[in-house]
mmCIF file of all heavy atoms in Angstrom:
data_model
loop_
_atom_site.group_PDB
_atom_site.id
_atom_site.type_symbol
_atom_site.label_atom_id
_atom_site.label_comp_id
_atom_site.label_asym_id
_atom_site.label_seq_id
_atom_site.Cartn_x
_atom_site.Cartn_y
_atom_site.Cartn_z
ATOM 1 N N HIS A 115 1.001 -2.141 6.137
ATOM 2 C CA HIS A 115 0.173 -1.637 7.230
ATOM 3 C C HIS A 115 -1.019 -0.831 6.682
ATOM 4 O O HIS A 115 -1.740 -0.201 7.459
ATOM 5 C CB HIS A 115 1.002 -0.746 8.137
ATOM 6 C CG HIS A 115 2.050 -1.470 8.921
ATOM 7 N ND1 HIS A 115 1.849 -1.924 10.196
ATOM 8 C CD2 HIS A 115 3.313 -1.831 8.566
ATOM 9 C CE1 HIS A 115 2.958 -2.537 10.629
ATOM 10 N NE2 HIS A 115 3.855 -2.486 9.646
ATOM 11 N N GLY A 116 -1.187 -0.820 5.377
ATOM 12 C CA GLY A 116 -2.278 -0.051 4.798
ATOM 13 C C GLY A 116 -1.759 1.032 3.865
ATOM 14 O O GLY A 116 -0.560 1.117 3.588
ATOM 15 N N THR A 117 -2.673 1.873 3.392
ATOM 16 C CA THR A 117 -2.331 2.931 2.444
ATOM 17 C C THR A 117 -2.382 4.281 3.144
ATOM 18 O O THR A 117 -3.319 4.579 3.916
ATOM 19 C CB THR A 117 -3.313 2.928 1.256
ATOM 20 O OG1 THR A 117 -3.258 1.657 0.618
ATOM 21 C CG2 THR A 117 -2.935 4.001 0.254
ATOM 22 N N PHE A 118 -1.395 5.135 2.856
ATOM 23 C CA PHE A 118 -1.277 6.460 3.469
ATOM 24 C C PHE A 118 -1.181 7.493 2.350
ATOM 25 O O PHE A 118 -0.473 7.302 1.366
ATOM 26 C CB PHE A 118 -0.076 6.543 4.383
ATOM 27 C CG PHE A 118 -0.073 5.503 5.494
ATOM 28 C CD1 PHE A 118 0.442 4.236 5.243
ATOM 29 C CD2 PHE A 118 -0.611 5.793 6.737
ATOM 30 C CE1 PHE A 118 0.461 3.278 6.254
ATOM 31 C CE2 PHE A 118 -0.589 4.835 7.747
ATOM 32 C CZ PHE A 118 -0.074 3.574 7.501
ATOM 33 N N SER A 119 -1.879 8.609 2.519
ATOM 34 C CA SER A 119 -1.890 9.678 1.534
ATOM 35 C C SER A 119 -1.389 10.976 2.116
ATOM 36 O O SER A 119 -1.701 11.310 3.273
ATOM 37 C CB SER A 119 -3.306 9.879 0.959
ATOM 38 O OG SER A 119 -3.772 8.703 0.329
ATOM 39 N N TYR A 120 -0.594 11.714 1.316
ATOM 40 C CA TYR A 120 0.005 12.956 1.792
ATOM 41 C C TYR A 120 -0.089 14.013 0.695
ATOM 42 O O TYR A 120 -0.180 13.683 -0.484
ATOM 43 C CB TYR A 120 1.503 12.756 2.121
ATOM 44 C CG TYR A 120 1.775 11.635 3.096
ATOM 45 C CD1 TYR A 120 1.993 10.345 2.645
ATOM 46 C CD2 TYR A 120 1.853 11.882 4.469
ATOM 47 C CE1 TYR A 120 2.279 9.320 3.545
ATOM 48 C CE2 TYR A 120 2.115 10.864 5.371
ATOM 49 C CZ TYR A 120 2.341 9.593 4.883
ATOM 50 O OH TYR A 120 2.626 8.567 5.778
ATOM 51 N N HIS A 121 -0.034 15.268 1.134
ATOM 52 C CA HIS A 121 0.116 16.356 0.174
ATOM 53 C C HIS A 121 1.501 16.937 0.321
ATOM 54 O O HIS A 121 1.817 17.588 1.307
ATOM 55 C CB HIS A 121 -0.925 17.458 0.371
ATOM 56 C CG HIS A 121 -0.708 18.620 -0.562
ATOM 57 N ND1 HIS A 121 -1.005 18.556 -1.892
ATOM 58 C CD2 HIS A 121 -0.150 19.837 -0.340
ATOM 59 C CE1 HIS A 121 -0.672 19.686 -2.469
ATOM 60 N NE2 HIS A 121 -0.150 20.490 -1.558
ATOM 61 N N LEU A 122 2.333 16.696 -0.673
ATOM 62 C CA LEU A 122 3.672 17.266 -0.736
ATOM 63 C C LEU A 122 3.679 18.239 -1.913
ATOM 64 O O LEU A 122 3.283 17.858 -3.020
ATOM 65 C CB LEU A 122 4.697 16.142 -0.957
ATOM 66 C CG LEU A 122 6.173 16.506 -0.752
ATOM 67 C CD1 LEU A 122 6.433 16.892 0.712
ATOM 68 C CD2 LEU A 122 7.071 15.329 -1.149
ATOM 69 N N ASP A 123 4.061 19.471 -1.665
ATOM 70 C CA ASP A 123 4.007 20.482 -2.715
ATOM 71 C C ASP A 123 4.807 20.033 -3.937
ATOM 72 O O ASP A 123 5.985 19.668 -3.815
ATOM 73 C CB ASP A 123 4.538 21.803 -2.191
ATOM 74 C CG ASP A 123 4.408 22.900 -3.249
ATOM 75 O OD1 ASP A 123 3.347 23.530 -3.289
ATOM 76 O OD2 ASP A 123 5.371 23.104 -4.022
ATOM 77 N N ASN A 124 4.188 20.074 -5.089
ATOM 78 C CA ASN A 124 4.859 19.647 -6.315
ATOM 79 C C ASN A 124 4.871 20.747 -7.374
ATOM 80 O O ASN A 124 4.907 20.477 -8.582
ATOM 81 C CB ASN A 124 4.216 18.376 -6.873
ATOM 82 C CG ASN A 124 2.752 18.585 -7.256
ATOM 83 O OD1 ASN A 124 2.144 19.597 -6.888
ATOM 84 N ND2 ASN A 124 2.202 17.654 -7.981
ATOM 85 N N THR A 125 4.869 21.995 -6.894
ATOM 86 C CA THR A 125 4.973 23.131 -7.827
ATOM 87 C C THR A 125 6.414 23.537 -8.088
ATOM 88 O O THR A 125 6.696 24.276 -9.018
ATOM 89 C CB THR A 125 4.214 24.336 -7.274
ATOM 90 O OG1 THR A 125 4.873 24.795 -6.063
ATOM 91 C CG2 THR A 125 2.760 23.985 -6.947
ATOM 92 N N GLY A 126 7.331 23.095 -7.199
ATOM 93 C CA GLY A 126 8.713 23.531 -7.299
ATOM 94 C C GLY A 126 8.956 24.858 -6.624
ATOM 95 O O GLY A 126 10.103 25.304 -6.567
ATOM 96 N N ASP A 127 7.911 25.496 -6.092
ATOM 97 C CA ASP A 127 8.042 26.814 -5.459
ATOM 98 C C ASP A 127 8.382 26.704 -3.968
ATOM 99 O O ASP A 127 8.962 27.616 -3.402
ATOM 100 C CB ASP A 127 6.745 27.605 -5.612
ATOM 101 C CG ASP A 127 6.432 27.892 -7.071
ATOM 102 O OD1 ASP A 127 7.389 28.046 -7.838
ATOM 103 O OD2 ASP A 127 5.246 27.956 -7.421
ATOM 104 N N LEU A 128 8.012 25.582 -3.338
ATOM 105 C CA LEU A 128 8.298 25.365 -1.917
ATOM 106 C C LEU A 128 9.386 24.322 -1.750
ATOM 107 O O LEU A 128 9.451 23.353 -2.505
ATOM 108 C CB LEU A 128 7.045 24.925 -1.177
ATOM 109 C CG LEU A 128 5.853 25.878 -1.163
ATOM 110 C CD1 LEU A 128 4.721 25.305 -0.332
ATOM 111 C CD2 LEU A 128 6.270 27.258 -0.598
ATOM 112 N N GLU A 129 10.209 24.525 -0.734
ATOM 113 C CA GLU A 129 11.254 23.555 -0.404
ATOM 114 C C GLU A 129 10.642 22.489 0.464
ATOM 115 O O GLU A 129 10.049 22.780 1.503
ATOM 116 C CB GLU A 129 12.404 24.267 0.298
ATOM 117 C CG GLU A 129 13.715 23.511 0.288
ATOM 118 C CD GLU A 129 13.773 22.435 1.335
ATOM 119 O OE1 GLU A 129 13.308 22.677 2.450
ATOM 120 O OE2 GLU A 129 14.302 21.344 1.030
ATOM 121 N N VAL A 130 10.761 21.208 0.068
ATOM 122 C CA VAL A 130 9.993 20.143 0.732
ATOM 123 C C VAL A 130 10.858 19.049 1.331
ATOM 124 O O VAL A 130 10.345 17.978 1.664
ATOM 125 C CB VAL A 130 8.971 19.512 -0.248
ATOM 126 C CG1 VAL A 130 8.007 20.575 -0.781
ATOM 127 C CG2 VAL A 130 9.686 18.833 -1.414
ATOM 128 N N SER A 131 12.145 19.258 1.503
ATOM 129 C CA SER A 131 12.995 18.185 2.004
ATOM 130 C C SER A 131 12.588 17.767 3.408
ATOM 131 O O SER A 131 12.542 16.568 3.737
ATOM 132 C CB SER A 131 14.467 18.589 1.985
ATOM 133 O OG SER A 131 14.698 19.774 2.728
ATOM 134 N N GLY A 132 12.282 18.749 4.287
ATOM 135 C CA GLY A 132 11.856 18.409 5.645
ATOM 136 C C GLY A 132 10.549 17.663 5.652
ATOM 137 O O GLY A 132 10.349 16.708 6.417
ATOM 138 N N ALA A 133 9.613 18.093 4.788
ATOM 139 C CA ALA A 133 8.330 17.425 4.710
ATOM 140 C C ALA A 133 8.484 16.000 4.170
ATOM 141 O O ALA A 133 7.856 15.047 4.661
ATOM 142 C CB ALA A 133 7.394 18.237 3.821
ATOM 143 N N LEU A 134 9.327 15.842 3.148
ATOM 144 C CA LEU A 134 9.558 14.498 2.590
ATOM 145 C C LEU A 134 10.231 13.598 3.624
ATOM 146 O O LEU A 134 9.900 12.410 3.756
ATOM 147 C CB LEU A 134 10.406 14.594 1.332
ATOM 148 C CG LEU A 134 10.706 13.279 0.613
ATOM 149 C CD1 LEU A 134 9.434 12.582 0.204
ATOM 150 C CD2 LEU A 134 11.606 13.507 -0.592
ATOM 151 N N GLN A 135 11.178 14.152 4.380
ATOM 152 C CA GLN A 135 11.843 13.369 5.427
ATOM 153 C C GLN A 135 10.838 12.915 6.472
ATOM 154 O O GLN A 135 10.909 11.789 6.993
ATOM 155 C CB GLN A 135 12.943 14.205 6.079
ATOM 156 C CG GLN A 135 13.786 13.422 7.097
ATOM 157 C CD GLN A 135 14.620 12.340 6.422
ATOM 158 O OE1 GLN A 135 15.549 12.623 5.682
ATOM 159 N NE2 GLN A 135 14.270 11.087 6.701
ATOM 160 N N THR A 136 9.868 13.761 6.792
ATOM 161 C CA THR A 136 8.826 13.396 7.746
ATOM 162 C C THR A 136 8.011 12.208 7.247
ATOM 163 O O THR A 136 7.679 11.289 8.002
ATOM 164 C CB THR A 136 7.901 14.594 8.010
ATOM 165 O OG1 THR A 136 8.664 15.654 8.591
ATOM 166 C CG2 THR A 136 6.778 14.228 8.953
ATOM 167 N N ILE A 137 7.690 12.214 5.955
ATOM 168 C CA ILE A 137 6.945 11.086 5.370
ATOM 169 C C ILE A 137 7.757 9.810 5.494
ATOM 170 O O ILE A 137 7.264 8.757 5.960
ATOM 171 C CB ILE A 137 6.613 11.370 3.891
ATOM 172 C CG1 ILE A 137 5.620 12.508 3.778
ATOM 173 C CG2 ILE A 137 6.064 10.118 3.218
ATOM 174 C CD1 ILE A 137 5.329 12.930 2.343
ATOM 175 N N PHE A 138 9.022 9.866 5.100
ATOM 176 C CA PHE A 138 9.861 8.679 5.158
ATOM 177 C C PHE A 138 10.044 8.190 6.613
ATOM 178 O O PHE A 138 10.023 6.990 6.876
ATOM 179 C CB PHE A 138 11.236 8.951 4.549
ATOM 180 C CG PHE A 138 11.214 9.056 3.037
ATOM 181 C CD1 PHE A 138 12.003 9.973 2.371
ATOM 182 C CD2 PHE A 138 10.404 8.218 2.276
ATOM 183 C CE1 PHE A 138 11.997 10.053 0.994
ATOM 184 C CE2 PHE A 138 10.372 8.305 0.910
ATOM 185 C CZ PHE A 138 11.188 9.204 0.255
ATOM 186 N N ASN A 139 10.203 9.134 7.553
ATOM 187 C CA ASN A 139 10.356 8.749 8.957
ATOM 188 C C ASN A 139 9.111 8.080 9.489
ATOM 189 O O ASN A 139 9.173 7.102 10.223
ATOM 190 C CB ASN A 139 10.679 9.988 9.815
ATOM 191 C CG ASN A 139 12.073 10.548 9.530
ATOM 192 O OD1 ASN A 139 12.886 9.881 8.887
ATOM 193 N ND2 ASN A 139 12.338 11.737 10.023
ATOM 194 N N GLU A 140 7.942 8.628 9.131
ATOM 195 C CA GLU A 140 6.677 8.047 9.611
ATOM 196 C C GLU A 140 6.498 6.632 9.093
ATOM 197 O O GLU A 140 6.103 5.724 9.819
ATOM 198 C CB GLU A 140 5.516 8.937 9.167
ATOM 199 C CG GLU A 140 4.158 8.415 9.614
ATOM 200 C CD GLU A 140 3.024 9.328 9.152
ATOM 201 O OE1 GLU A 140 2.958 10.462 9.653
ATOM 202 O OE2 GLU A 140 2.229 8.872 8.311
ATOM 203 N N LEU A 141 6.809 6.436 7.810
ATOM 204 C CA LEU A 141 6.654 5.092 7.224
ATOM 205 C C LEU A 141 7.710 4.136 7.757
ATOM 206 O O LEU A 141 7.408 2.967 8.041
ATOM 207 C CB LEU A 141 6.759 5.194 5.708
ATOM 208 C CG LEU A 141 5.652 5.982 5.003
ATOM 209 C CD1 LEU A 141 5.965 6.148 3.523
ATOM 210 C CD2 LEU A 141 4.291 5.337 5.199
ATOM 211 N N SER A 142 8.924 4.594 7.935
ATOM 212 C CA SER A 142 9.983 3.733 8.445
ATOM 213 C C SER A 142 9.736 3.279 9.867
ATOM 214 O O SER A 142 10.231 2.208 10.291
ATOM 215 C CB SER A 142 11.332 4.469 8.379
ATOM 216 O OG SER A 142 11.661 4.824 7.057
ATOM 217 N N ALA A 143 8.952 4.051 10.621
ATOM 218 C CA ALA A 143 8.665 3.719 12.027
ATOM 219 C C ALA A 143 7.663 2.570 12.149
ATOM 220 O O ALA A 143 7.516 1.989 13.215
ATOM 221 C CB ALA A 143 8.149 4.937 12.756
ATOM 222 N N LEU A 144 6.974 2.229 11.056
ATOM 223 C CA LEU A 144 6.034 1.118 11.085
ATOM 224 C C LEU A 144 6.815 -0.193 11.210
ATOM 225 O O LEU A 144 7.845 -0.390 10.579
ATOM 226 C CB LEU A 144 5.178 1.101 9.814
ATOM 227 C CG LEU A 144 4.324 2.346 9.569
ATOM 228 C CD1 LEU A 144 3.683 2.283 8.191
ATOM 229 C CD2 LEU A 144 3.264 2.480 10.655
ATOM 230 N N LYS A 145 6.281 -1.118 11.995
ATOM 231 C CA LYS A 145 6.995 -2.371 12.270
ATOM 232 C C LYS A 145 7.143 -3.196 10.999
ATOM 233 O O LYS A 145 6.196 -3.431 10.281
ATOM 234 C CB LYS A 145 6.233 -3.173 13.346
ATOM 235 C CG LYS A 145 6.960 -4.438 13.750
ATOM 236 C CD LYS A 145 6.199 -5.166 14.852
ATOM 237 C CE LYS A 145 6.921 -6.444 15.238
ATOM 238 N NZ LYS A 145 6.194 -7.194 16.297
#
């Protein structure tokens, strides 16, 4: 469906499981 870009914190200082789950959910919702 195209290319999508995101900023997910990669410093290790922030907890990103919810944000990563949001990315996966958004992509999985594509037909």
